[in-house]
């Protein structure tokens, strides 16, 4: 029987999930979407005319200072994030490869492909909630891509650079003929794309909260596919979309969840370190290369090109989901309000039946990776599936 405190925590979680869900559903109204797009265009016009997008402008300086102050405050209260020791290897540009050696006999290496929206250490949040440490304890050699802080050189870098060149360089640095790929959210889309273009380099593919058929990825698809909104305008203005812009956009998707976080943290002391570490991770938003952002919105949300088999990297490399030759484990949350579970589950229609397995859990987008339930319902499933996949390839 649950304690009164646990019951209250569950009640608040249900309340915030329900209200955010209603708000997200209402936001699909075409008139609201068009109004939001026009408002965004007007804001871009103001930024351009006033110069407020420039880093030395008082508006941009204030926004950046607010973000840094939020991060500093969160760090002062949180346990140390990204605490697991690792070796850092250079990749291309700002990107680096972090290596966490296995603590037991090494199996096939795992390369984790993260989203460009947030930092790599969601998988190494703090000492008592580290998926990386869980995997190394289980005998896996773990590598993660840290996209770093993009500079002037990354401003024009597009989808080809991040979905192909950087991941290919990471695989080369690992030094094995094939690796296991694990991708989360946007990183899962990049990992899926790479596996479709380079099937010979991927031994197994694990996806967490990853959209597949973007026509079903509502409400984000409706927002980003509106023809009034021009994603290249943001790229042209900012070059690299600043962290304060990215963080604010991410938090605004689920306002009721953001509002009730402090209450949940106080009511659930066992999870307080994780709540605080998540706030560090959310505040520590990296800039997103503008060219990549515009390419990603166009290729996936507007053209659904990977799903339709029309995606080309470098103009010559075909990305066909049907070309993925390795075993695939698709894990998604049935309560995910960032990536629609219908979009994630659709992947079963494109992967060879004998190669496909899925695991649906009643969790949200972030809880899939570091939630309390993920420790028992997601992490062991991944380790067990990869272990069996590795053994089957060895026999």
């Amino acid at each position: 029987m649950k304690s009164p405190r646990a019951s209250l925590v569950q009640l608040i979680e249900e309340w915030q999930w329900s209200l955010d869900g209603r708000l997200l559903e209402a936001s699909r109204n075409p008139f609201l979407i068009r109004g939001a797009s026009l408002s965004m265009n007007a804001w871009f016009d103001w930024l351009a005319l006033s110069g407020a997008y420039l880093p030395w402008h008082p508006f941009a300086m204030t926004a950046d200072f607010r973000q840094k102050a939020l991060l500093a405050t969160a760090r002062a209260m949180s346990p140390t994030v990204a605490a697991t020791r690792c070796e850092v290897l250079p990749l291309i540009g700002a990107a680096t490869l972090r290596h966490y050696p296995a603590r037991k006999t090494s199996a096939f290496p795992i390369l984790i492909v993260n989203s460009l929206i947030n930092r790599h250490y969601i998988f190494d949040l703090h000492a008592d909630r580290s998926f990386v440490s869980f995997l190394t304890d289980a005998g896996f050699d773990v590598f993660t891509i840290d996209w770093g802080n993009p500079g002037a050189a990354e401003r024009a870098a597009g989808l080809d650079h991040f979905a192909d060149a950087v991941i290919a360089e990471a695989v080369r640095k690992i030094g094995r003929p094939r690796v296991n790929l694990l991708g989360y959210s946007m990183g899962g889309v990049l990992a899926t794309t790479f596996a479709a273009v380079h099937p010979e380099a991927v031994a197994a593919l694990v996806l967490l909260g990853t959209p597949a058929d973007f026509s079903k990825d509502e409400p984000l698809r409706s927002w980003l596919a509106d023809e009034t909104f021009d994603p290249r305008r943001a790229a042209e203005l900012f070059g690299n979309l600043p962290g304060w812009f990215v963080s604010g956009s991410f938090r605004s998707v689920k306002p009721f969840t953001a509002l009730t976080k402090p209450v949940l943290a106080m009511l659930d002391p066992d999870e307080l370190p994780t709540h605080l570490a998540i706030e560090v991770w959310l505040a520590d938003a990296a800039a997103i290369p503008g060219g990549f952002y515009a390419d990603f919105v166009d290729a996936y949300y507007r053209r659904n090109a990977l799903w339709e088999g029309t995606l080309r990297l470098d103009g010559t490399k075909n990305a066909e989901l049907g070309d993925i030759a390795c075993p695939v484990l698709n894990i998604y949350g049935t309560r995910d309000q960032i990536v629609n579970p219908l979009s994630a589950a659709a992947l079963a229609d494109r992967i060879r039946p004998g190669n496909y397995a899925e695991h649906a859990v009643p969790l949200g987008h972030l809880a899939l990776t570091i939630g309390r339930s993920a420790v028992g319902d997601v992490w062991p499933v991944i380790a067990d599936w990869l272990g069996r996949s590795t053994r089957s390839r060895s026999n």
Side-chain angles (χ1 to χ4, degrees):
M1 184 176 178
K2 290 184 178 179
S3 67
R5 177 174 291 185
S7 297
L8 181 57
V9 167
Q10 184 178 10
L11 180 64
I12 294 174
E13 289 176 339
E14 289 290 336
W15 175 81
Q16 67 184 22
W17 183 82
S18 176
L19 289 182
D20 280 331
R22 292 178 185 179
L23 187 62
L24 289 169
E25 184 61 31
S27 72
R28 293 179 60 185
N29 184 295
F31 294 103
L32 291 177
I33 291 172
R34 184 57 51 88
S37 296
L38 291 172
S39 298
M40 183 65 74
N41 289 341
W43 186 63
F44 285 153
D45 289 340
W46 174 77
L47 289 173
L49 289 171
S50 65
Y53 65 93
L54 296 168
W56 49 261
H57 191 280
F59 173 81
M61 290 178 66
T62 300
D64 186 56
F65 174 79
R66 185 185 300 114
Q67 188 68 25
K68 289 179 178 177
L70 181 63
L71 176 59
T73 303
R75 284 193 188 280
M77 300 172 65
S78 166
T80 302
V81 299
T84 305
R85 296 183 63 179
C86 65
E87 177 187 12
V88 181
L89 306 171
L91 287 176
I92 301 174
T96 58
L97 182 67
R98 293 175 177 266
H99 178 208
Y100 307 83
R103 296 192 178 99
K104 297 179 181 178
T105 303
S106 176
F108 273 93
I110 300 173
L111 173 61
I112 298 177
V113 183
N114 309 284
S115 169
L116 273 74
I117 295 176
N118 293 104
R119 300 292 186 178
H120 69 281
Y121 57 82
I122 187 61
F123 293 102
D124 186 31
L125 195 59
H126 63 90
D128 294 327
R129 193 61 59 86
S130 173
F131 183 46
V132 163
S133 291
F134 174 84
L135 289 173
T136 57
D137 285 344
F140 293 99
D141 218 18
V142 180
F143 297 80
T144 68
I145 293 179
D146 179 355
W147 299 108
N149 295 303
E154 279 83 20
R155 289 183 177 183
L159 183 61
D160 301 340
H161 176 81
F162 294 96
D164 189 6
V166 175
I167 300 178
E169 179 63 10
V171 172
R172 189 188 71 78
K173 282 281 178 71
I174 291 171
R176 301 283 190 91
R178 295 187 300 165
V179 300
N180 297 311
L181 276 187
L182 188 154
Y184 170 52
S185 194
M186 176 191 281
V189 178
L190 300 182
T192 305
T193 302
F194 182 84
V197 175
H198 299 283
E200 75 290 344
V202 182
L205 176 64
V206 178
L207 301 173
L208 277 172
T210 299
D213 181 357
F214 280 78
S215 71
K216 298 178 179 178
D217 194 25
E218 298 291 354
L220 287 183
R221 190 208 65 84
S222 291
W223 301 349
L224 295 171
D226 183 66
E227 60 186 14
T228 308
F229 170 64
D230 182 5
R232 297 202 178 274
R233 186 82 187 281
E236 291 165 359
L237 276 174
F238 291 112
N240 295 322
L241 278 62
W244 57 263
F245 178 83
V246 176
S247 179
S249 301
F250 192 80
R251 288 176 185 270
S252 67
V253 174
K254 299 186 65 178
F256 290 103
T257 295
L259 186 66
T260 55
K261 279 182 180 179
V263 177
L264 288 175
M266 290 186 292
L267 288 173
D268 196 359
D270 291 341
E271 284 295 284
L272 180 59
T274 299
H275 281 292
L276 294 173
I278 288 172
E279 290 307 306
V280 173
W281 178 75
L282 288 171
D284 193 17
I288 298 181
F292 165 78
Y293 168 74
D295 280 357
F296 192 91
V297 170
D298 176 66
Y300 298 104
Y301 283 102
R302 297 194 163 183
R303 295 190 289 117
N304 205 10
L306 181 60
W307 181 260
E308 299 294 341
T310 59
L311 183 61
R312 305 287 180 270
L313 298 184
D314 281 335
T316 59
K317 299 176 182 177
N318 297 343
E320 297 267 2
L321 288 172
D323 289 339
I324 295 178
C326 65
V328 177
L329 174 61
N330 185 20
I331 300 178
Y332 59 89
T334 57
R335 299 171 68 85
D336 194 333
Q337 294 175 320
I338 304 296
V339 171
N340 194 306
L342 294 177
S343 173
L347 186 64
D349 296 335
R350 289 289 194 268
I351 304 298
R352 301 168 194 176
N355 283 350
Y356 181 81
E358 72 176 33
H359 182 57
V361 287
L363 297 174
H365 193 68
L366 191 53
L368 274 174
T369 58
I370 44 76
R372 178 162 40 199
S373 295
V375 176
D377 297 338
V378 176
W379 295 5
V381 171
I382 293 174
D384 179 66
W385 184 85
L386 282 173
R388 287 186 285 107
S389 177
T390 298
R391 287 193 294 272
S392 68
R393 294 194 299 272
S394 302
N395 294 333

